Amino acid sequence: MSFPVSTVIEALPRRYRGIIVELLGDRAPDLLAALRTQAKPTLAQQEGVLEVLVDAFVDHLGPWDEPTPRGTLIDDALGAFLERWPAEDLTEQ
């Protein structure tokens, strides 16, 4: 018996899925579309996700460069993504 393979987006922790989908949808819709069809990101796609989330994190720094609550959520989502798909487990294609 085979089980369906989840996509990158489906495999994200539910707690962080919404923020990642929102940010990728706004800033990299083609990347989001690809991650909705693949079981594992490529190294280049991982770098694209990192770029989007880091840029969004920087946009949500408050006084004294402390993250706002949304910035903290973005940072935690980035950590969850990297934990699930570390660079050493990914290929170029």
Side-chain angles (χ1 to χ4, degrees):
M1 176 181 232
S2 66
F3 294 95
V5 176
S6 68
T7 68
V8 173
I9 298 302
E10 292 168 342
L12 291 168
R14 186 174 304 270
R15 177 177 180 193
Y16 304 119
R17 192 177 305 154
I19 190 72
I20 291 173
V21 167
E22 175 189 333
L23 292 171
L24 290 177
D26 289 346
R27 298 172 186 227
D30 292 343
L31 176 56
L32 176 60
L35 296 178
R36 284 187 159 145
T37 65
Q38 297 170 216
K40 185 176 183 180
T42 65
L43 190 56
Q45 289 170 330
Q46 183 215 46
E47 290 171 4
V49 171
L50 293 176
E51 183 177 317
V52 166
L53 295 182
V54 168
D55 287 349
F57 174 77
V58 171
D59 290 345
H60 290 89
L61 292 175
W64 300 285
D65 290 331
E66 290 295 319
T68 64
R70 184 169 171 88
T72 299
L73 177 63
I74 293 167
D75 187 47
D76 291 346
L78 176 59
F81 187 92
L82 290 174
E83 184 177 314
R84 177 69 178 90
W85 293 287
E88 58 270 11
D89 290 349
L90 304 179
T91 60
E92 286 295 322
Q93 297 181 358

